Amino acid sequence: MEGKMSWTVADAVDYKGYPADRSKTGGWVPAALILGIEIVERLSTMGIAVNLVTYMIGVMHLPSSTSANIVTDFMGTSFLLCLLGGFLADSFLGRYKTIGIFAAIQTLGTASLAISTKLPQLRPPPCNPRSNSNTCQPANGFQMGILYVALYLIALGTGGLKSSVSGFGSDQFDEKDEKEKSQMAYFFNRFFLFISFGTLAAVTVLVYVQDEVSRTWAYAVCSVCMIIAILVFLSGTKRYRFKKSMGSPIVHICQVIAAAIRKRKLELPYNVASLYEDTPEPSRIEHTDQFRFLEKAAIVVEGDFEENLSGGSGPNPWKLCSLTRVEEVKMMVRLLPVWATTIIFWTTYAQMITFSVEQASTMERNVGSFQIPAGSLTVFFVAAILITLALYDRIIMPLWKKWKGKPGFTSLQRIAIGLVLSTLGMVAASVCEKKRLTVAKSVTGNPATLPISVFILIPQFFLVGSGEAFIYTGQLDFFITQSPKGMKTMSTGLFLTTLSLGFFVSSFLVAVVKKVTGTHDGQGWLADNINKGRLDLFYALLTILSAINFVAFLACSLWYKPKKPKATTMQMGEINNNSAENRC
């Protein structure tokens, strides 16, 4: 019997619901089949996002600021929908069904986008080259409506996939088995590598196809690739391991808040031991004195216990929560100040795939006879991330360990470095844009390409890209190590909402600046024609906001009381193993 049980995985079942046979399910092959979905998702989402602003301006004839906001709203919604996907996977569908359903939704979205770029009825007529560009007919409501449907189907698919793909991949390995645990680490190293290649393919090959061949063909390729990825994913059904969901952390948090509000008029007992606790001793969390209002959820009163289906009685979780559950929620609340002060970074990041791409479209991009697509300039952004990660792992970490005796920077230190680099990136962007505008004012007429090299934009891409390498790994480390064990997925979902809100804040700032500085004839800081505006001042505004935010972050870092570590802090090399596993 013991020999038979050793071939099963304790907390996993196969596709029929039987205990998973270790020799027939899980491992590298099923995990690799799942990986294909994430690669294609990254190819589609990034390939569309980095070059969307040029389509909005050049084909749909929309103003510069409106085009930028469409892109940032699209990306913000994609990351925000990770929470919806995670909730559905944890509470109703499970990760397998969530991946299949949302992959199909994204395929429908990319196919719709391909159709919208193909049919002449779904886009405005081309501009008359002999006329002033201001007379170009913008897209009408119907045309924009079809485009929005396609984009937000893609956003919905992206959110559902990001919430489940990496987690389902980790389900294929048994952490209690040393051999499979090492295989999982190897898998997530490759996961990070392959999605990076997916991003590189998106900003180079796919963007080139969009500009030089046809956007329709590019988006159709994304649809076909996702269909193939879905078929490959489904082919491994009999080999997958499925793990039972423990419920959504969002529901648990809501239960604590609801119970605390219900008992808001009650007085807390002097003795904490009087509060309700049903968590086994080894799993309990040490009591803290912050946010004690939430502890009222653990006060036992008449009516808190109700009969269950088995005939016994138990606490109604919406009326009574254990003290450990309350402490878990308090830990999540303590993360919020740091969470809030990292949002501005992703606002600066948003400029790299909107206004910076638009800047590039007005500049000389030739290398010999080859013209670099404007959207492909983001390759320097991706390169900066990879180079920074390599330098940190191979040079900075060893030197820091030799000097300070520590394996690397703490998570908060890495976030701080990322914020500083992004601020410097906005300084560089403002200086470069001032130079570009000087050239624009010196030329006569309204040339499509200004006599200035696009490569002066490299510093802003490189600084913000290096900043992302630090802040992404720092945020992920912070939210994983400082959150309760049962809410790791929730905490990484919270982390990804900083990306979402960063894009939405960008949209909000653009709208405000357009309103305050704009004129009836389309002028102002964010003019309809970028050569007539003052984008340098908008970048300067972001520099000031980033500097203020950095001061606020330092104050929040000093206030924060870190969770007592049970293991060493994760560093960038280890983040590769954990980021995909815990990423929304």
Side-chain angles (χ1 to χ4, degrees), residues 14 22 29 59 284 330 363 393 583:
D14 61 16
R22 192 182 302 275
V29 174
V59 178
R284 294 181 183 179
K330 287 163 72 172
M363 304 167 77
D393 287 341
R583 189 176 298 155

Side-chain angles (χ1 to χ4, degrees), residues 44-60 71 109-119 123 147 151 154 202 205-223 357 361 365 373-376:
S44 300
T45 305
M46 292 304 297
I48 292 167
V50 298
N51 209 31
L52 186 58
V53 70
T54 59
Y55 180 76
M56 293 298 172
I57 295 172
V59 178
M60 305 302 278
V71 177
T110 52
S112 300
L113 192 60
I115 293 172
S116 72
T117 59
K118 177 65 177 177
L119 298 179
R123 61 180 187 270
L147 183 62
L151 288 177
I154 295 169
V205 178
L206 195 64
V207 168
Y208 179 81
V209 173
Q210 290 176 39
D211 285 0
E212 302 300 327
V213 181
S214 166
R215 287 181 184 268
T216 301
W217 274 104
Y219 302 146
V221 166
C222 291
S223 300
V357 173
S361 67
R365 309 189 304 276
S376 291

